[in-house]
Every structure is written in structure tokens, then in C-alpha cells.
């Protein structure tokens, strides 16, 4: 599988590369190549990219099916699966790229934040690899990689606003440069993808014929298309808190209570598919979308007041696994159209975890000569790691009230 951009162009490039490097022309003549490795959660990913962001080869092993069956990610299971697949995934990415380890300029690997046991496998493999091949090592912040992926596809210049929403995170930040972020707000409890996954599990959507292979978020999006969100008017979280933080656990409680009530009404046991799953899915998705939209609206107003975004073509980047949701994209389109921002979302396959985004972050750091370590430096993983300088207290102090806005989402 040769992803993105023209295959013929890629083949030509690979050929040129192979010749250029095998003739050992001066280093400057060879484009720099980075191998990216991702194992922070439940995807084992690897990719080789050149400096222009051309994907020369990639491989991805998803653990989704296993975790769907076990009803959530069990860290020891994730660790075992990473260990089982990492060697093959990296080898596949290298083989597909036609690039040998000696031709790499560096190896970039996610070291924070994420599941400790998962991060450990990627880091251990990478440190062994860079020492064996004597290559520089670039430790990567997973959320920074999500935030910067867009620059591989669109020529977006700094600064821009970014909303990252995934199974492990939700945050709003101003990207001022590579590894230079201002954190405006983050989730105080769980992440939106986690909430959608838990709601989907509580609704037993894995038993639904159309949803058995889908992640919780994908299942909710699919069922919501045939649902009536007005049947369950869930309260949008944190209406009285005038900042940009997020909270989803209260919404999950509201949904759980509703499900329990409906089970009693329909006279069915927990674990049975309710007749109103579509409506519950639609109402849950709408409330998540509205919450994300409102916090983002406030973030945009805060940035405008404080001159944090350029006056020409200010941009909101939406990324992370939950960003592939079309309803949520549309809710954010309403906000960006109202406030005069351009909304950019990487294609869905780059929104979820993969090796490409890690390699790209490596390229960005390599170009700037930031965070590039010699192979013998010992690096430790960090399960918890916030992104950039936290100015959420300033955002809260500004207490910006939102103008009323009708969220008429049609998708
Ligand atoms: O970014 P990602 O691949 O992994 C993390 O870093 O968490 O995101 C996975 C999350 C899961 O919670 C999944 O349910 C959610 O993204 N997700 C979606 C959709 N596709 C995946 N949520 C809502 N709508 C979708 N279409
Ligand atoms: Zn992620």
C-alpha cells in the first residue's frame, strides 16, 4: 500500500533517493528521511517520510477489534499486542519506502502522553534501533504530533488555533511554533472519545448489526443519522463556567440515567439493545458537538481579544480521532463561519493515531534542529504530559460571555 500523493511520483522519488544515497553524494543532496513510530495507545504505527511530507512507506496495526471484544482497552493486552507487532510494522514501513535504516536521518517516536505500558514498547524498540544503526533520536509529544499533522497537507503558518479531540484528550491550544503552544483549556475529567466509547458500550452497540466492528464514536455517528436528538434534551456541560475547559463525565451520567430509565420502561435487561438507541446516539452526539463548539467559540474570542491569531486568514485546526465525526465538524464550521476563521481538518485517516503524524513531527523538529538527541541518550516515557504553557487561568479570568448562536446542524 502506497498512501497519498502520486504513486509514480513516489516511485521516482524513491529511485532518485536510492541512487542519490547509494552513490554517497554529499549529504546535502539527499532529502532528509525520518522514520516515525507510534505506540501510545492501541495502534502500532510506523512510517517513513521525506522532508516535504511525502509518505514513502507506512504500516499500521490497529488493536481496535480486540479491545471492542474485551469492552475497552486493557493496558496489558495493548502492551502485548504492541510487542507482538512492532517489529513487523516497522519493517513493513521501511520495505514499502525502499529506504534502509542507514539512509534515515533520524527516528522519531511517541514518548508522551499515553498508556505507560504501550509507550514503553515503542520507546524500548526505538532506542534499540537507533543504537544499532547509530541514528539520532527525536522524542515526540503525541498531542503536538496531532496538532502539526495538518501542516503536512496544507501550508498553514503559525500561529493557529487547534482543537484536539480523541479517546484520551480534549484540548484547545494556540500553536505558535513547533513545540511552542499556549494551552487555553483541556478536559477536567474524561475525553470525548472515551465518553462516546463508554456510552456505546453501555448501549451494547457491539450487538447492533451495523456497528459490530465500529469504534464507539463511529457507531454513535452512524446511528445518530437516523435518530431524533430532541427526544433526549441532555444539558450541555459547564454552561456557567466561562472558560475553555471541557467536561464529559456529567453528560455520561445523564445518558446512563436515561438508558436505565428506558430499560425499565421497555422491561429489558442491561445488555439488550433499546428501541431508542438512535435517538440516544443523536442526543449524545449533539451535546458533545455543542459543548466542543461553545468552548471553541470562547477560545476564538479570547484569541481575538488578545491578538493571538493573525488578522489575515486566522485558522482553526480540528484533529484527533473524534475530529473525523462529520456532525462535530459541522458544529465547528458554524463557529468558524460566525467568527471569520478558516476551518481545517486533516483527512480522517490522519486524524486517528498513525506513524505518519509522528514522522512528520520528527521532520518539523529536525528542520528546526530542536529536540534531536544522540542515540546513546536515555529517554524516559511520560504517561501524563500537558501541552505547552498553560494559560487556562487567564482564559477563565477573562470570563468571556458568548453571544447566543443557533446550532442548527444539518448533517
Ligand atoms: O486519536 P485516536 O485514534 O486515539 C486516541 O489518541 O485516543 O482516537 C480514537 C477515538 C475513539 O474514542 C473513537 O471512538 C473516536 O476517536 N472516534 C470517533 C469517530 N471515529 C473515531 N468519535 C466520533 N465520531 C467518529 N466518527
Ligand atoms: Zn491520538
Amino acid at each position: 500500500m502506497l498512501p497519498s500523493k502520486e504513486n509514480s511520483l513516489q516511485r521516482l522519488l524513491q529511485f532518485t533517493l536510492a541512487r542519490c544515497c547509494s552513490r554517497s553524494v554529499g549529504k546535502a543532496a539527499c532529502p532528509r528521511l525520518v522514520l516515525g513510530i507510534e505506540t501510545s495507545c492501541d495502534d502500532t504505527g510506523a512510517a517513513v517520510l521525506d522532508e516535504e511530507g511525502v509518505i514513502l512507506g507506512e504500516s499500521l496495526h490497529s488493536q481496535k477489534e480486540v479491545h471492542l471484544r474485551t469492552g475497552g482497552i486493557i493496558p496489558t493486552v495493548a502492551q502485548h499486542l504492541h510487542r507482538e507487532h512492532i517489529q513487523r510494522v516497522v519493517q513493513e514501513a521501511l520495505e514499502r519506502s525502499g529506504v534502509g535504516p542507514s539512509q534515515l536521518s533520524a527516528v522519531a517516536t511517541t514518548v508522551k502522553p499515553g498508556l505507560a505500558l504501550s509507550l514503553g514498547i515503542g520507546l524500548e524498540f526505538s532506542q534499540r534501533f537507533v543504537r544499532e544503526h547509530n541514528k539520532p533520536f527525536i522524542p515526540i509529544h503525541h498531542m503536538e504530533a496531532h496538532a502539526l499533522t495538518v501542516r503536512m497537507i496544507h501550508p498553514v503558518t503559525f500561529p493557529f488555533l487547534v482543537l484536539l479531540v480523541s479517546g484520551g484528550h480534549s484540548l484547545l491550544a494556540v500553536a505558535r511554533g513547533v513545540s511552542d503552544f499556549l494551552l487555553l483549556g483541556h478536559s477536567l475529567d474524561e475525553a470525548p472519545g472515551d465518553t462516546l466509547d463508554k456510552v456505546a458500550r453501555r448501549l451494547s452497540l457491539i450487538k447492533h448489526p451495523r456497528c459490530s466492528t465500529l469504534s464507539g464514536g463511529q457507531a454513535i455517528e452512524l446511528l445518530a443519522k437516523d435518530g431524533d436528538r430532541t427526544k433526549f434534551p441532555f444539558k450541555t456541560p459547564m454552561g456557567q463556567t466561562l472558560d475553555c475547559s471541557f467536561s464529559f463525565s456529567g453528560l455520561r451520567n445523564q445518558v446512563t440515567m436515561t438508558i436505565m430509565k428506558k430499560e425499565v420502561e421497555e422491561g429489558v435487561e442491561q445488555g439488550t439493545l433499546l428501541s431508542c438507541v438512535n435517538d440516544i446516539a443523536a442526543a449524545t452526539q449533539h451535546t458533545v458537538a455543542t459543548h466542543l463548539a461553545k468552548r471553541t467559540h470562547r477560545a476564538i474570542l479570547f484569541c481575538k481579544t488578545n491578538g493571538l491569531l493573525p488578522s489575515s486568514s486566522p485558522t482553526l485546526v480540528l484533529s484527533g480521532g473524534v475530529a473525523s465525526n462529520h456532525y462535530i465538524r459541522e458544529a465547528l464550521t458554524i463557529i468558524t463561519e460566525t467568527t471569520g476563521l478558516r476551518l481545517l481538518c486533516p483527512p480522517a485517516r490522519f486524524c486517528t493515531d498513525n506513524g505518519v503524524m509522528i514522522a512528520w513531527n520528527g521532520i518539523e523538529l529536525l528542520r528546526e534542529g530542536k529536540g534531536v538527541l544522540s542515540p546513546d541518550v536515555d529517554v524516559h516515557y511520560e504517561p501524563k504530559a500537558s501541552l505547552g504553557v498553560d494559560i487556562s487561568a487567564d482564559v477563565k479570568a477573562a470570563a468571556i460571555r458568548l453571544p447566543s448562536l443557533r446550532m442548527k446542524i444539518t448533517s
Side-chain angles (χ1 to χ4, degrees), residues 62-374:
S62 167
Q63 306 176 355
K64 189 174 80 179
E65 253 179 62
V66 175
H67 299 311
L68 271 175
R69 266 189 277 123
T70 54
I73 299 173
I74 300 169
T76 47
V77 174
Q79 180 191 39
H80 172 77
L81 292 170
H82 283 305
R83 189 177 281 135
E84 196 169 278
H85 292 281
I86 190 159
Q87 170 84 41
R88 174 187 59 81
V89 164
V90 170
Q91 207 171 321
E92 261 175 24
L94 285 167
E95 276 170 17
R96 287 169 182 167
S97 68
V99 170
S102 65
Q103 291 166 281
L104 294 170
S105 308
V107 176
T109 302
T110 308
V111 301
K112 61 184 176 185
L115 298 174
L117 296 179
S118 296
L119 289 167
I121 298 294
L123 181 56
E124 191 189 306
F125 179 92
S126 304
Q127 294 233 283
R128 223 180 313 116
F129 186 96
V130 293
R131 282 168 192 169
E132 186 185 333
H133 300 287
N134 194 27
K135 294 290 162 186
F137 182 58
I138 310 177
I140 299 293
H141 190 302
H142 183 81
M143 302 314 287
E144 178 177 317
H146 270 307
L148 299 182
T149 308
V150 69
R151 284 166 45 86
M152 187 183 84
I153 300 151
H154 299 280
V156 193
T157 53
F158 296 114
F160 56 86
L161 181 63
V162 58
L163 170 62
L164 299 178
V165 275
S166 71
H169 304 273
S170 56
L171 63 84
L172 274 159
V174 179
R176 296 192 300 183
V178 180
S179 296
D180 181 6
F181 289 81
L182 291 176
L183 184 66
L184 304 179
H186 60 95
S187 179
L188 303 179
D189 39 58
E190 58 196 46
D194 192 20
T195 306
L196 294 173
D197 291 342
K198 284 174 174 154
V199 167
R201 275 206 294 281
R202 184 61 185 80
L203 285 167
S204 302
L205 295 188
I206 193 152
K207 293 185 183 165
H208 195 291
R210 298 173 70 201
C211 302
S212 60
T213 60
L214 302 182
S215 69
Q218 288 170 324
I220 299 245
E221 178 170 24
L222 181 73
L223 297 186
K225 287 189 189 8
D226 299 322
D228 177 357
R229 67 170 179 81
T230 62
K231 293 265 172 71
F232 299 103
F234 299 132
K235 202 162 172 281
T236 307
M238 304 184 84
Q240 303 308 313
T241 315
L242 305 182
D243 62 12
C244 291
S245 29
F246 303 91
S247 169
F248 295 94
S249 60
L251 168 63
R252 184 154 63 80
N253 279 339
Q254 288 183 71
V255 180
T256 307
M257 301 296 276
T258 301
I259 295 170
M260 286 163 69
K261 197 165 147 244
K262 282 284 151 192
E263 283 167 350
V264 172
E265 271 176 38
E266 296 191 10
V268 296
E269 301 255 303
Q270 178 173 339
T272 315
L273 278 175
L274 288 167
S275 63
C276 56
V277 275
N278 294 350
D279 299 336
I280 294 179
T284 306
Q285 177 178 256
H286 178 77
T287 312
V288 168
T290 308
H291 184 40
L292 294 175
K294 287 192 168 179
R295 310 322 267 185
T296 306
H297 193 172
R298 179 169 293 111
I300 292 171
L301 299 181
F302 180 83
C303 287
K304 286 191 168 188
T305 310
N306 293 281
L308 296 176
L309 293 176
S311 46
S312 143
S313 203
T315 302
L316 169 68
V317 170
L318 171 62
S319 195
V322 177
S324 36
N325 183 293
H326 290 91
Y327 193 89
I328 290 171
R329 286 186 181 203
E330 201 171 317
L332 286 154
T333 304
I334 294 174
I335 301 300
T336 47
E337 281 176 358
T338 306
T339 51
L341 264 71
R342 163 176 76 142
L343 176 64
L344 290 179
C345 309
R349 81 179 190 92
F350 294 129
C351 280
T352 48
D353 293 351
N354 58 76
V356 173
M357 69 180 201
I358 306 304
W360 174 252
N361 200 161
I363 296 273
E364 293 253 39
L365 286 161
L366 194 64
R367 277 182 186 162
E368 300 223 337
K370 271 189 189 169
V372 184
L373 307 176
S374 90

